[in-house]
């Protein structure tokens, strides 16, 4: 199984992250001159990495994927033309993740458990804290968004009922 994700920038150019047939994590960026291809990680330690792309501060792409055999969620951000690893220790065996980087460079991360698990908590990793915590005990498909005032918004579904839920990060706490 090969995963991929797509985002379109403000100039209507596509940005794609994908798990290649060579078993590496790749990034493709559409430009006016054609396509630019880059390898993010070629360690070839993937089973089903589910790569995802999001926008960080200043329109920089953020790439996340599950790095096997450890199961860590791994994050890279493109800064000054180079990919930098942001984090990747401690976030294990989670699917349905998303991340944004605020304008002051702070990484905000959420994820929910594998849909096959018995429980589906929504986890949040505070950037200035040592440990994570649960926002909600019933979640699926979380998505983070950064508005023009640098506020972090969250939308997700109830795993049990399918109901839409919304939250806003305010004063380092989520208001759902």
């Amino acid at each position: 199984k090969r995963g991929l994700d797509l985002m379109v920038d403000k100039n209507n150019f596509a940005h794609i992250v994908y798990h290649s047939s060579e078993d590496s994590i790749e990034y493709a960026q559409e430009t006016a001159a054609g396509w630019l291809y880059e390898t993010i990680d070629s360690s070839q330690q993937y089973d089903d990495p589910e790569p995802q792309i999001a926008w960080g501060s200043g329109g920089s792409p953020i790439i996340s994927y599950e790095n096997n055999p450890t199961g860590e969620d791994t994050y890279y951000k493109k800064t000054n033309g180079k990919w930098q690893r942001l984090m990747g220790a401690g976030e294990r065996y989670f699917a349905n993740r998303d991340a944004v980087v605020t304008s002051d460079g702070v990484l905000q991360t959420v994820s929910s458990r594998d849909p096959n698990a018995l429980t589906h908590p929504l986890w949040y990793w505070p950037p200035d804290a040592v440990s994570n915590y649960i926002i909600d005990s019933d979640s699926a498909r979380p998505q983070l968004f950064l508005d023009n005032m640098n506020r972090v918004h969250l939308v997700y579904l109830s795993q049990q009922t399918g109901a839409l839920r919304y939250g806003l990060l305010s004063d380092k706490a989520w208001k759902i």
Side-chain angles (χ1 to χ4, degrees):
K1 182 177 177 182
R2 301 281 175 224
L4 61 96
D5 196 18
L6 163 81
M7 296 278 295
V8 177
D9 66 25
K10 64 182 178 182
N11 297 314
N12 292 320
F13 288 118
H15 298 255
I16 304 167
V17 62
Y18 60 100
H19 180 204
S20 75
S21 59
E22 288 81 30
D23 207 22
S24 61
I25 304 299
E26 303 287 332
Y27 169 74
Q29 176 184 356
E30 182 184 22
T31 69
W35 285 91
L36 169 67
Y37 297 91
E38 298 176 88
T39 299
I40 304 297
D41 187 349
S42 60
S43 62
Q44 300 180 346
Q45 298 183 11
Y46 318 107
D47 178 24
D48 185 10
E50 300 179 26
Q52 295 177 326
I53 189 168
W55 295 125
S57 60
S60 297
I62 301 170
I63 305 297
S64 68
Y65 57 93
E66 183 182 316
N67 192 347
N68 289 320
T70 64
E72 293 178 346
D73 282 347
T74 304
Y75 295 86
Y76 280 86
K77 179 183 177 190
K78 194 168 190 177
T79 305
N80 298 324
K82 296 185 179 182
W83 290 101
Q84 296 179 318
R85 187 173 178 160
L86 297 176
M87 62 190 308
E91 306 86 28
R92 298 179 186 276
Y93 303 109
F94 287 94
N96 298 313
R97 64 193 172 282
D98 201 11
V100 295
V101 177
T102 61
S103 63
D104 51 351
V106 177
L107 178 70
Q108 302 286 344
T109 309
V110 293
S111 62
S112 62
R113 285 198 187 270
D114 185 313
N116 297 321
L118 296 176
T119 60
H120 308 279
L122 179 60
W123 292 88
Y124 171 61
W125 279 268
D128 57 353
V130 175
S131 60
N132 53 29
Y133 67 87
I134 295 174
I135 298 171
D136 193 335
S137 61
D138 173 31
S139 69
R141 301 183 187 148
Q143 294 287 306
L144 291 174
F145 300 91
L146 195 61
D147 67 21
N148 61 0
M149 295 175 61
N150 204 37
R151 296 180 304 176
V152 181
H153 300 260
L154 166 68
V155 294
Y156 61 100
L157 298 174
S158 163
Q159 181 71 26
Q160 294 177 4
T161 67
L164 180 66
R165 296 191 176 154
Y166 168 81
L168 177 66
L169 185 60
S170 179
D171 297 322
K172 299 183 181 183
W174 285 99
K175 295 181 180 178
I176 305 297

